Amino acid sequence: MYRVKVTMSTEGIFRDIHEVYSRLFNHQPALKGELDYFIREFETKRNDREKVWLEQTLQNAKDLSENKIPENIKLLEDHVSSIHGKAKVAIQMCEKHKDKEKTWKEMDHLKPEREARLSEWTNFMNNQCDLSEQVDKDLQDNITKLKESYSELEQKLKVSL
């Protein structure tokens, strides 16, 4: 019988220790309350923001469908036909220009003038090459004469010394 009392008293001690431990180190109930409060506040504010955002979006959609889209359709109806007509005119002008260019290339009435200019250019370049060769030849002759005259002067200087 003595054992039972010891066992009961140890159970009481364990219960008391567990209660003290829970109060000191187990913060679950307090944290749960704080987290629930935070979540409630966040969802309430978020729902308000989303509600405002959805209302603004709805207003913008109504404005677009009632005002902007009909205005744009009217403008398109007014201007598409004129743009289409102007595009047709531009295409016709391009076709005319292309046809004129084709006829000018086919006629090739400038071919004799081109050939004459080409022969003139060839003659000019040949003359320039001949002149360049002549200048090079004259330069070499002058260099040779200068070398000879300097060598003669050196000879005279050596003899006079």
Side-chain angles (χ1 to χ4, degrees):
M1 185 98 185
Y2 181 71
R3 285 181 149 185
V4 174
K5 285 186 177 184
V6 171
T7 313
M8 291 182 119
S9 66
T10 56
E11 285 179 15
I13 292 172
F14 282 124
R15 220 178 300 136
D16 289 341
I17 290 173
H18 179 67
E19 187 177 327
V20 169
Y21 176 81
S22 294
R23 286 185 179 181
L24 288 175
F25 299 110
N26 188 2
H27 304 295
Q28 251 184 344
L31 287 176
K32 184 171 178 11
E34 288 295 321
L35 286 173
D36 289 343
Y37 173 75
F38 177 77
I39 289 171
R40 248 184 280 117
E41 283 295 313
F42 180 74
E43 285 179 349
T44 304
K45 290 179 182 176
R46 182 174 169 211
N47 285 338
D48 290 343
R49 267 187 273 140
E50 287 182 0
K51 184 179 175 184
V52 169
W53 181 77
L54 286 172
E55 287 174 355
Q56 288 175 347
T57 304
L58 179 64
Q59 183 62 34
N60 288 339
K62 282 183 181 178
D63 184 42
L64 284 174
S65 66
E66 292 173 358
N67 297 328
K68 301 296 180 183
I69 292 176
E71 287 176 17
N72 288 336
I73 290 173
K74 185 176 182 268
L75 287 172
L76 283 173
E77 288 173 350
D78 292 345
H79 295 290
V80 166
S81 60
S82 66
I83 291 172
H84 183 66
K86 290 177 182 178
K88 278 185 177 180
V89 169
I91 290 172
Q92 289 174 352
M93 291 174 70
C94 289
E95 290 293 328
K96 286 180 184 178
H97 182 69
K98 187 175 86 172
D99 292 341
K100 281 184 181 180
E101 185 177 352
K102 186 178 179 183
T103 56
W104 276 93
K105 283 183 179 178
E106 287 173 356
M107 289 175 54
D108 206 14
H109 61 282
L110 300 175
K111 189 174 182 178
E113 287 87 0
R114 284 189 197 125
E115 290 173 356
R117 281 194 302 276
L118 182 62
S119 66
E120 284 179 26
W121 181 254
T122 306
N123 290 337
F124 172 75
M125 289 306 292
N126 288 336
N127 282 340
Q128 291 300 315
C129 287
D130 292 343
L131 288 173
S132 175
E133 289 174 5
Q134 183 63 37
V135 167
D136 289 342
K137 183 181 174 192
D138 291 344
L139 180 66
Q140 283 299 328
D141 290 344
N142 287 337
I143 290 173
T144 308
K145 286 180 185 177
L146 279 174
K147 282 183 181 180
E148 288 174 2
S149 66
Y150 277 116
S151 62
E152 286 177 15
L153 280 173
E154 274 183 28
Q155 292 281 336
K156 288 179 183 178
L157 280 174
K158 284 183 183 180
V159 171
S160 67
L161 286 178

